[in-house]
Amino acid sequence: MLRIAIVGAGPTGFFLAEKLLGQDTTPLAVDLFERLPTPYGLVRYGVAPDHEKIRNVTRSFDKVAARTGFRFFGNTDVGRHLSLDDLRQCYHQICFTTGAQTDRHMGIPGEDLPGSHAATEFVAWYNGHPDYCDRVFDLSAERVAVVGVGNVAIDVARMLCRTPEELATTDIADHALEALRTSRVREVYLLGRRGPAQAAFTNPEVKELGELAGADVTARPEEVALDPLSAAMLAREDDPSTRKKLDILAGYAGRERSGKPRLLAIRFLVSPVELLARDGRVGVMRLARNRLAEGVDGELKAQPTGETEELPVELVFRSVGYRGIAVPGLPFDEKRGIIPNQSGRVVDILTPERAPLTGFYVSGWIKRGPSGVIGTNKPDAAETAEAMLADAGAGQTLSPTGEDIEPLLRQRQPELVTWSDWVKLAAGETARGKPLGRPRVKHTRIAEMLAAIRSTED
Ligand code: NAP
């Protein structure tokens, strides 16, 4: 029986377990390890609370967890409770599905001033991630800049614009609901360094901004007008989705205020070059205006025109992409923030032939970088599963000498969280939400989670 460890219980971990347990040519068992007591990764801690439907994907993860041969080991930090060597002793194959756990920086002066934050931390905070629940974001600010025009930037801008009534029926963390209830934010700027045709956000997400109950959305006609280089590219590539995006944005251009309390302004062709302090915290963002120019790779890049402007803002969220972090003991590609691999097989970048490291695999964002929607990880996991099964068929696996890891793990982490513990915890969260018309009220501290699990024990 092939014993497989998957490290990281986000969507990719479940898609991979599903693929492996769903085949019947190679008998195998899967143990899914997770640092937090809770499963689902970014589906729980990344998806915006007002996008509850996206969380429905957890139903299929729960079906995977019910399969014979599946075990969940939550509250287990691989690297602390278990070493890579411990795993090597007990498993034939080990796959890391640890995602991209940190964020990219803008690299500009003033980036670390009080009031300047990573969007990913704000997201984790409003979603009740235990590592971020004590963060403080000063929502007495009236003007906020969100740097980047990807879907994370849109989530952050939208959450800042939602009314307390809209938020009150979601599973947003209680501390964030309270803070956003008294928010004084009036203007939110979404800042794209390139043009509208290059914006990374997807159409349903940008369309939703035009339908907010408490905020008017606007854009500048001259910034959403198609430039000749993008027009030529669009004519060559015939891309209906980009055309639709441009139509949506054109619809926002020059929109008048309708009297809603907040304004969400989408800007293009501007890059933050410096954050300036006022009274010891962010007060002004200096922006360089850009034009588009063709890069050596044929991609359209932002090029400064030499003009600058100053945008008064008291709060800044950089939303310029996630970044993977290295796993001690495995190679790491610092430039791309991924574990180097070929079709999911971890490869040794120090050898000229990039030889695969027998028994080690990756899938999801730590394999390809932080791109795509949740579903993109399904074919990604299928590719890694195929490599794992082919290698197992060819006898290319680790040679574990140890037995079941659970006794050792229980010694090292007496507060291990199993799948049945999680089911109890989740049922308690749902029950807390029910009288309030909310899908769940999340526990946001690990001690609280463990106490809630213990309270259900006979
Ligand atoms: P993303 O889609 O890669 O967007 C990053 C944005 O940051 C881009 O607009 C990029 O502009 C900009 N940027 C990068 N470096 C910059 C710099 N130095 N200065 C100014 N701007 C800079 O990343 P993301 O928003 O973090 O999202 C990650 C993935 O999760 C995406 O695939 C996204 O679709 C997905 N996601 C999906 C949903 C959803 O489906 N609702 C929600 C959240 C996230 P350039 O294009 O010019 O580089």
Side-chain angles (χ1 to χ4, degrees):
M1 161 91 76
L2 193 70
R3 294 202 302 264
I4 297 177
I6 302 177
V7 182
T12 305
F14 280 96
F15 287 137
L16 180 65
E18 181 178 34
K19 203 74 201 167
L20 292 168
L21 291 165
Q23 54 82 46
D24 47 20
T25 45
T26 308
L28 54 83
V30 169
D31 289 342
L32 180 57
F33 293 88
E34 168 59 48
R35 186 171 70 83
L36 294 173
T38 53
Y40 311 143
L42 280 184
V43 175
R44 181 174 164 102
Y45 294 120
V47 168
D50 60 339
H51 279 178
E52 178 62 20
K53 272 197 192 137
I54 298 181
R55 296 217 168 88
N56 287 344
V57 68
T58 59
R59 292 184 199 152
S60 70
F61 300 160
D62 296 349
K63 285 189 189 144
V64 177
R67 279 181 179 272
T68 311
F70 177 94
R71 290 189 300 185
F72 174 71
F73 292 136
N75 208 21
T76 302
D77 192 349
V78 170
R80 184 158 80 96
H81 299 114
L82 294 173
S83 68
L84 217 50
D85 260 343
D86 294 326
L87 293 182
R88 223 191 295 255
Q89 297 298 318
C90 296
Y91 295 94
H92 296 91
Q93 295 183 327
I94 302 161
C95 184
F96 286 84
T97 54
T98 41
Q101 298 174 60
T102 183
D103 78 295
R104 295 180 54 218
H105 287 245
M106 298 184 283
I108 60 170
E111 184 161 9
D112 296 324
L113 279 173
S116 167
H117 307 273
T120 52
E121 297 188 354
F122 186 60
V123 169
W125 171 77
Y126 65 57
N127 273 322
H129 190 298
D131 293 352
Y132 296 91
C133 58
D134 292 323
R135 290 296 157 100
V136 176
F137 300 96
D138 184 359
L139 297 171
S140 69
E142 293 195 0
R143 284 158 303 201
V144 186
V146 184
V147 181
V149 282
N151 282 331
V152 171
I154 291 230
D155 280 348
V156 166
R158 198 183 63 251
M159 287 297 289
L160 286 165
C161 288
R162 285 279 185 212
T163 63
E165 295 71 35
E166 285 174 311
L167 295 174
T169 53
T170 71
D171 73 350
I172 185 171
D174 281 343
H175 56 247
L177 182 59
E178 220 31 66
L180 286 164
R181 213 189 277 285
T182 54
S183 156
R184 296 183 56 206
V185 170
R186 288 291 163 266
E187 293 171 16
V188 178
Y189 295 89
L190 257 181
L191 306 175
R193 62 178 169 181
R194 297 191 288 161
Q198 292 79 36
F201 49 59
T202 41
N203 291 341
E205 279 64 31
V206 67
K207 186 162 176 284
E208 192 181 4
L209 296 183
E211 297 154 4
L212 293 173
D216 287 314
V217 64
T218 180
R220 295 187 177 189
E222 70 276 18
E223 288 181 356
V224 296
L226 200 58
D227 65 286
L229 288 175
S230 303
M233 194 162 270
L234 213 54
R236 273 199 308 275
E237 290 174 2
D238 185 32
D239 173 0
S241 152
T242 301
R243 285 189 192 285
K244 175 99 203 286
K245 178 162 60 188
L246 292 167
D247 284 348
I248 297 168
L249 289 164
Y252 296 159
R255 260 202 201 180
E256 294 293 323
R257 296 290 302 258
S258 73
K260 293 180 184 174
R262 293 191 170 118
L263 178 71
L264 200 175
I266 311 179
R267 301 279 316 266
F268 291 104
L269 296 167
V270 284
S271 289
V273 286
E274 186 171 8
L275 300 183
L276 304 170
R278 292 281 180 275
D279 302 326
R281 48 177 298 114
V282 172
V284 171
M285 176 182 275
R286 184 166 291 144
L287 291 171
R289 295 235 177 95
N290 299 327
R291 67 167 80 84
L292 292 173
E294 202 161 314
V296 274
D297 53 2
E299 241 204 294
L300 296 186
K301 310 253 191 262
Q303 193 179 68
T305 61
E307 275 178 83
T308 58
E309 66 174 271
E310 294 201 340
L311 184 69
V313 283
E314 301 90 43
L315 195 56
V316 172
F317 293 107
R318 61 174 182 274
S319 182
V320 296
Y322 286 83
R323 192 180 147 78
I325 55 178
V327 172
L330 291 186
F332 192 66
D333 180 338
E334 282 294 343
K335 196 155 170 257
R336 297 183 59 202
I338 61 163
I339 295 179
N341 68 93
Q342 271 160 8
S343 309
R345 294 179 177 95
V346 175
V347 295
D348 185 352
I349 32 175
L350 297 179
T351 62
E353 64 281 11
R354 292 171 67 86
L357 285 185
T358 301
F360 286 93
Y361 302 85
V362 281
S363 188
W365 281 4
I366 195 65
K367 169 184 175 187
R368 68 171 196 279
S371 66
V373 293
I374 293 164
T376 314
N377 295 303
K378 205 167 179 170
D380 182 305
E383 183 190 53
T384 297
E386 206 175 297
M388 292 169 80
L389 294 168
D391 291 352
Q396 300 284 332
T397 67
L398 297 167
S399 309
T401 47
E403 288 300 312
D404 183 11
I405 203 155
E406 189 170 345
L408 172 73
L409 180 53
R410 284 196 180 276
Q411 255 175 38
R412 303 249 183 96
Q413 172 49 307
E415 304 210 271
L416 182 68
V417 173
T418 63
W419 191 260
S420 64
D421 292 334
W422 157 246
V423 169
K424 288 182 217 158
L425 182 64
E429 289 189 339
T430 311
R432 279 157 37 115
K434 203 154 188 202
L436 305 169
R438 303 175 65 185
R440 66 193 68 73
V441 172
K442 285 179 182 174
H443 292 287
T444 58
R445 289 175 194 280
I446 291 178
E448 229 185 73
M449 294 176 188
L450 300 177
I453 293 169
R454 277 196 297 270
S455 73
T456 61
E457 282 163 6
D458 300 330

